[in-house]
């Protein structure tokens, strides 16, 4: 059993970074093939379409490269001070004194996937937060992006990330231990694939 003060640290970047890099390389290769194929085409609509698809795939590949580099060292921390998303320029922190409540929602995809994390298919974890202040994110762009409109009251913000192994259980234990009476527990629900983020 961990001590009361021991933090829960999820190395999210080590899990998502490699997947983003695979997507990046795939888009860059397919984009290059489309551009080369378009240039080799005799002309007309095939040339224009191939170049357009190629440029879009190259752009997607570059954006995924930037996202993979940004996510490389990302981690989620629950400790005595509160909850923190540590990800470079997108870092934010919510202290326990700022939160009226915190909870967990585990969303399971109804469609089974090869990367399934146990029964029910792929899973996404949402750390749900309710703040005392109605505008806690006024000066924090990273926190402002976490506003939620699809969770019931009192939740105002959510931090979603893909589930891996025992992450949900570790967060459940850590939030109960460190968040005390603020912690509302963990709920699980099935969602249609693509809607749970």
């Amino acid at each position: 059993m961990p001590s009361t003060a021991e933090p829960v640290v999820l190395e999210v970047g080590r899990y998502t970074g490699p997947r983003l890099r695979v997507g990046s390389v795939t888009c860059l290769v397919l984009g290059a093939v489309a551009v080369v194929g378009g240039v080799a085409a005799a002309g007309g609509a095939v040339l224009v379409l191939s170049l357009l698809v190629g440029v879009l795939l190259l752009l997607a590949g570059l954006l995924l490269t930037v996202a993979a580099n940004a996510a490389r060292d990302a981690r989620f921390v629950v400790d005595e001070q509160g909850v923190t998303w540590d990800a470079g320029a997108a870092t934010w922190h919510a202290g326990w004194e700022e939160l009226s409540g915190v909870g967990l929602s585990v969303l399971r995809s109804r469609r089974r996937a090869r990367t399934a994390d146990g029964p029910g298919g792929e899973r996404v974890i949402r750390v749900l937060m309710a703040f005392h202040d109605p505008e806690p994110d006024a000066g924090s762009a990273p926190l402002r992006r976490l506003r939620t409109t699809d969770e019931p009251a009192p939740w105002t913000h959510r931090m979603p990330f893909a589930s891996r192994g025992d992450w949900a259980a570790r967060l459940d234990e850590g939030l109960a231990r460190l968040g005390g009476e603020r912690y509302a527990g963990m709920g699980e629900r099935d969602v249609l694939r693509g809607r749970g983020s």
Side-chain angles (χ1 to χ4, degrees), residues 25-197:
V25 169
T26 302
C27 286
L28 291 171
V29 168
L30 291 175
V33 167
V35 168
V36 170
V39 169
V46 173
L47 170 66
V48 173
L49 185 61
S50 294
L51 289 176
L52 179 63
V53 168
V55 168
L56 289 175
L57 284 169
L58 289 171
L59 182 60
L62 291 174
L63 290 173
L64 285 171
T65 300
V66 170
N69 289 337
R72 180 178 47 229
D73 299 322
R75 59 193 194 127
F76 188 78
V77 180
V78 179
D79 59 20
E80 289 183 311
Q81 282 74 46
V83 294
T84 304
W85 174 248
D86 183 7
T91 296
W92 58 265
H93 172 76
W96 293 122
E97 70 283 352
E98 300 174 70
L99 296 169
S100 60
V102 64
L104 273 183
S105 178
V106 179
L107 309 177
R108 293 180 308 247
S109 168
R110 285 196 213 170
R111 191 168 81 188
R112 189 112 179 119
R114 288 182 313 176
T115 58
D117 187 28
E122 294 179 350
R123 298 190 315 169
V124 172
I125 299 172
R126 285 181 173 176
V127 176
L128 306 173
M129 295 167 282
F131 287 82
H132 292 296
D133 182 350
E135 295 295 328
D137 48 7
S140 172
L143 192 54
R144 190 176 311 117
R145 287 191 292 265
L146 300 178
R147 281 248 182 224
T148 184
T149 56
D150 65 343
E151 291 289 347
W155 311 121
T156 59
H157 291 72
R158 67 173 185 216
M159 179 63 205
F161 44 85
S163 177
R164 181 173 186 210
D166 64 347
W167 283 6
R170 288 177 55 203
L171 280 172
D172 183 42
E173 181 277 324
L175 288 168
R177 179 171 42 86
L178 295 160
E181 62 187 40
R182 291 176 191 85
Y183 184 50
M186 177 172 66
E188 293 192 41
R189 63 183 172 158
D190 291 325
V191 294
L192 291 174
R193 186 177 169 93
R195 294 185 56 197
S197 60

